[in-house]
């Protein structure tokens, strides 16, 4: 857990490490087997959820580091795109990932596991790219 003495940058690095850990887990275990194996499917959904939550936290922390109050997940992404920190296409992928996370968590209208599998495979790469973009930005 973050202490009061940690800087925002340290917390961002910590969240990036968490994000990378979740993405690497997904990379190692994501296969079409999730379509038939409920335990693996639920594990992948949980790892993806946690990866997206880490990305959302990174967006909020980064925004706060720029002396702007963090807002909702989508507004925070838009803010980072507008500031030129995150490329527009990557920002769109982050918003898609957040939408998928919401569907997986709340099971809105049921979940099409085949679509979720394809989306996780595609969006995981965007999450990896995002961590690199942010870590590079922190070193500026």
């Amino acid at each position: 857990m973050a202490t009061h003495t940690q800087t925002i940058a340290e917390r961002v690095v910590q969240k990036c490490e968490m994000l990378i850990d979740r993405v690497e887990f997904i990379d190692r275990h994501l296969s079409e087997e999730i379509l038939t194996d409920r335990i693996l499917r639920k594990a992948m959904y949980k790892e993806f959820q946690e990866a997206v939550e880490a990305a959302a936290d990174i967006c909020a922390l980064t925004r706060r580091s720029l002396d702007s109050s963090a807002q909702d997940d989508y507004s925070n992404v838009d803010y980072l795109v507008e500031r030129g920190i995150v490329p527009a296409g990557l920002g769109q992928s982050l918003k898609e990932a957040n939408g998928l996370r919401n569907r997986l968590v709340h099971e809105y209208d049921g979940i099409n596991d085949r679509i979720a599998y394809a989306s996780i495979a595609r969006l995981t790469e965007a999450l990896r790219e995002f961590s690199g973009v942010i870590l590079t930005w922190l070193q500026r």
Side-chain angles (χ1 to χ4, degrees):
M1 195 68 185
T3 65
H4 288 15
T5 58
Q6 277 186 309
T7 67
I8 290 177
E10 290 170 332
R11 292 175 62 206
V12 168
V13 169
Q14 203 173 44
K15 292 290 183 176
C16 283
E17 289 169 353
M18 176 188 293
L19 172 57
I20 292 164
D21 177 68
R22 299 311 185 270
V23 165
E24 288 176 349
F25 182 91
I26 292 168
D27 282 346
R28 284 192 307 274
H29 300 286
L30 187 65
S31 70
E32 286 199 8
E33 190 177 347
I34 75 163
L35 300 174
T36 57
D37 183 333
R38 182 178 180 182
I39 293 172
L40 183 58
R41 180 172 56 252
K42 293 294 186 181
M44 288 298 101
Y45 289 176
K46 180 68 172 167
E47 291 291 319
F48 183 79
Q49 170 195 336
E50 291 177 359
V52 174
E53 289 169 355
D57 289 348
I58 292 164
C59 288
L61 288 165
T62 302
R63 184 171 184 167
R64 282 186 40 213
S65 77
L66 297 168
D67 295 323
S68 177
S69 297
Q71 296 181 12
D72 66 274
D73 295 339
Y74 296 99
S75 297
N76 291 339
V77 170
D78 288 339
Y79 181 84
L80 297 183
V81 169
E82 290 164 10
R83 293 291 303 256
I85 297 166
V86 173
L90 181 55
Q92 186 58 40
S93 293
L94 292 173
K95 292 195 285 189
E96 278 184 59
N98 194 62
L100 177 57
R101 183 208 75 87
N102 290 343
R103 287 194 70 149
L104 295 175
V105 169
H106 303 293
E107 297 187 4
Y108 298 134
D109 303 322
I111 297 170
N112 180 317
D113 293 316
R114 187 164 297 284
I115 292 172
Y117 165 75
S119 296
I120 288 171
R122 180 175 49 81
L123 293 169
T124 299
E125 188 53 43
L127 292 169
R128 178 192 329 281
E129 180 185 346
F130 173 67
S131 65
V133 165
I134 291 297
L135 289 172
T136 299
W137 177 79
L138 277 177
Q139 294 174 354
R140 72 199 191 303

